[in-house]
Amino acid sequence: QVQLVESGGGLVQPGGSLRLSCAASGSAFGPNAMGWYRQAPGKQRELVARITSGGSIFYAASVKGRFTISRDNAKNTVYLQMNSLKPEDTAVYYCNAWPVPLHPWGQGTQVTVSS
């Protein structure tokens, strides 16, 4: 069974940066596009960014210009570099396939942006 393990979250001040990683076991990636999602308290989970196996990238308008998604297929790992963080970026961040989250959700990684 595929397992997704997110890491790299933490507490950061507004304007700071974090780099999230998502490691997948098995053959989770392959031809699948992978996405980073987030869920803030009281809100639905939303797509933040996604990257296809061919490198096509999409960002949500709220993070465009501040976040960068990348993937290393050899390592079955997806990254999310987050710069210029804002309090509204506070959420639990998850990775999964896109457009259909095919795999069991991991535990996510908490990102808290606060002074």
Side-chain angles (χ1 to χ4, degrees), residues 31-107:
N32 294 320
M34 293 296 295
W36 278 98
Y37 303 78
R38 68 185 180 187
Q39 187 167 21
K43 295 188 177 181
Q44 288 189 334
R45 191 172 293 170
E46 63 175 354
L47 178 70
V48 173
R50 60 88 174 144
I51 182 168
T52 68
S53 59
S56 176
I57 291 173
F58 165 85
Y59 296 103
S62 58
V63 307
K64 195 170 186 179
R66 301 187 297 121
F67 290 10
T68 302
I69 189 171
S70 60
R71 63 190 286 168
D72 185 333
N73 292 332
K75 295 182 178 180
N76 272 344
T77 302
V78 180
Y79 304 96
L80 187 68
Q81 176 67 42
M82 305 188 297
N83 298 328
S84 302
L85 283 161
K86 303 176 181 181
E88 50 264 43
D89 295 318
T90 295
V92 180
Y93 284 71
Y94 304 87
C95 68
N96 212 315
W98 177 90
V100 178
L102 299 171
H103 313 301
W105 292 96
Q107 83 288 350

Side-chain angles (χ1 to χ4, degrees), residues 8-20 66-67 81-91 93 110-115:
L11 173 63
V12 63
Q13 293 186 342
S17 298
L18 286 173
R19 188 189 193 214
L20 307 185
R66 301 187 297 121
F67 290 10
Q81 176 67 42
M82 305 188 297
N83 298 328
S84 302
L85 283 161
K86 303 176 181 181
E88 50 264 43
D89 295 318
T90 295
Y93 284 71
Q110 175 71 48
V111 172
T112 303
V113 185
S114 175
S115 55

